[in-house]
Amino acid sequence: MKATTFATAAASLLATASAHGGVGYYIMGGTTYQGWQPYNSADSQKSIQRQYASFNPLLIADLSTVAIRCNNAGTLGTGLTATVAAGSDIKAHWTQWTHRPASVMVYMAKCPSSGCNSWDGAGKVWFKINQQGLVSGTENSGKWAGDTILDTLNWTVTVPKTLVPGEYLIRHELLAVHQANNPQFYPECAQLTVTGSGTASPPASYLVSFPGAYSASDPGINFNIDSEQSKATTSYPIPGPAVWDGGSSGPAPSEPATPTSAAPVTAVPTTLKTSAAPAASSAAACTAAKFAQCGGIGYKGCTTCAAGTTCNKSGDYYSQCL
Ligand SMILES: *[C@@H]1O[C@H](CO)[C@@H](O)[C@H](O)[C@H]1NC(C)=O
Ligand SMILES: *[C@@H]1O[C@H](CO)[C@@H](O)[C@H](O)[C@H]1NC(C)=O
Ligand SMILES: [Cu+2]
């Protein structure tokens, strides 16, 4: 689908949706692709984006349901896909957004060779290509990635340049944490055809399933932004797997993707745009501040605590400097 005008969609949205948000369109390869319009009739709608019902959030109770995958009950595609070259940018534009304390996470999943349209995204097939949570300041009052979405409605990611060509789903997710211990999840998925000459597939250690990727006890989900700890903590533990930057490769997924043996994990800085070949950071060479995370399953940051503090384990997934 080529560039379209959005005036009609915007008019109907104003009447029906007062808060929250969702990705409204995507720009890649010089083309704008209209997203699903949840407040318009589903009849005869076609989009690269999977159907979803509203801008309302999913909650902790939804983490174990298929809805957490693409914000629907496993609904399949409507026949459209967007073409994007590996190594180039995808800009997502939200129709609206309302929460500043929020993380952005972007995942992809390789579809079977039969294509994405009749595939629901089930299985341990999703890998994270980009994320940003707390940007600066404290969890309680600092700047978050959600500020960028609220202020610009835009988020641009780079498809890993080494990614093997094929059909993929891309899943943009906002995780809003403005309410104590009541996180809100806003995922939407779209269908892509990735071109290029890459040969890399993410190693199995980067792959997660939806549902399955998150647990209610993850520190970034069982999270109280109003706590005294959040008023003093300057890093936020984004849930889910480490970001895969394309710098490592595992076996190509079979049909459907099957778990494979773990491969070495490289630490990746969380930045607004993933670069094609970021240098691996050294976890040992840095120091975590008091109250910052210093360990836990999946954690790739600094493990040495600032002078006068020690790394205190508060669960398998989270240790902090106290
Ligand atoms: C967001 O992206 C759209 C589409 O490219 C653009 O028109 C708009 O100016 C951008 N907004 C900001 C604040 O950069
Ligand atoms: C470390 O954590 C344990 C429980 O997780 C707690 O009882 C203990 O007081 C903590 N130590 C410090 C120095 O805060
Ligand atoms: Cu909301």
Side-chain angles (χ1 to χ4, degrees):
M1 185 153 95
K2 293 292 178 189
T4 349
T5 58
F6 308 123
T8 315
S12 68
L13 288 167
L14 288 173
T16 46
S18 59
H20 316 305
V23 175
Y25 61 87
Y26 304 81
I27 302 176
M28 58 193 109
T31 301
T32 300
Y33 297 89
Q34 170 70 58
W36 188 259
Q37 298 173 279
Y39 295 94
N40 287 356
S41 166
D43 298 347
S44 74
Q45 266 201 66
K46 282 185 184 297
S47 71
I48 66 164
Q49 193 180 39
R50 289 286 166 95
Q51 179 171 351
Y52 65 109
S54 82
F55 291 154
N56 292 335
L58 302 172
L59 305 174
I60 281 181
D62 300 302
L63 285 182
S64 57
T65 73
V66 71
I68 195 65
R69 190 181 302 150
C70 293
N71 200 355
N72 62 42
T75 313
L76 303 179
T78 52
L80 301 183
T81 184
T83 300
V84 62
S88 66
D89 289 351
I90 298 176
K91 180 193 262 189
H93 178 90
W94 276 256
T95 304
Q96 55 180 45
W97 182 239
T98 43
H99 308 299
R100 290 188 180 278
S103 299
V104 181
M105 293 179 270
V106 184
Y107 292 82
M108 292 178 74
K110 191 161 194 307
C111 302
S113 55
S114 53
C116 295
N117 209 52
S118 55
W119 182 61
D120 66 1
K124 211 170 172 184
V125 292
W126 294 91
F127 55 97
K128 196 188 262 174
I129 61 164
N130 176 265
Q131 65 179 4
Q132 190 176 58
L134 182 65
V135 176
S136 61
T138 67
E139 291 171 328
N140 177 264
S141 60
K143 176 174 159 54
W144 290 74
D147 288 69
T148 302
I149 304 295
L150 200 153
D151 293 340
T152 71
L153 296 174
N154 293 327
W155 194 260
T156 300
V157 298
T158 305
V159 178
K161 193 173 176 55
T162 58
L163 184 64
V164 68
E167 309 287 318
Y168 287 84
L169 291 178
I170 188 166
R171 175 182 181 277
H172 284 80
E173 177 178 38
L174 301 181
L175 165 52
V177 292
H178 55 292
Q179 291 177 350
N181 303 109
N182 190 21
Q184 302 182 341
F185 304 85
Y186 299 85
E188 292 91 31
C189 301
Q191 300 183 182
L192 303 178
T193 302
V194 175
T195 61
S197 54
T199 56
S201 302
S205 56
Y206 289 93
L207 299 175
V208 295
S209 62
F210 288 100
Y214 307 153
S215 144
S217 62
D218 290 348
I221 291 176
N222 179 25
F223 175 74
N224 180 355
I225 196 169
D226 300 321
S227 69
E228 291 307 311
Q229 180 179 314
S230 290
K231 290 172 185 168
T233 302
T234 54
S235 70
Y236 165 80
I238 302 173
V243 169
W244 181 70
D245 67 354
S248 55
S249 188
S254 51
E255 305 247 339
T258 50
T260 50
S261 60
V265 174
T266 41
V268 177
T270 59
T271 52
L272 180 63
K273 285 180 64 172
T274 55
S275 67
S281 68
S282 168
C286 57
T287 302
K290 189 174 185 182
F291 299 117
Q293 187 173 6
C294 54
I297 294 171
Y299 176 69
K300 305 290 185 306
C302 308
T303 55
T304 304
C305 284
T309 67
T310 57
C311 194
N312 189 283
K313 182 175 178 177
S314 61
D316 288 342
Y317 289 89
Y318 195 69
S319 302
Q320 69 173 169
C321 298
L322 294 175

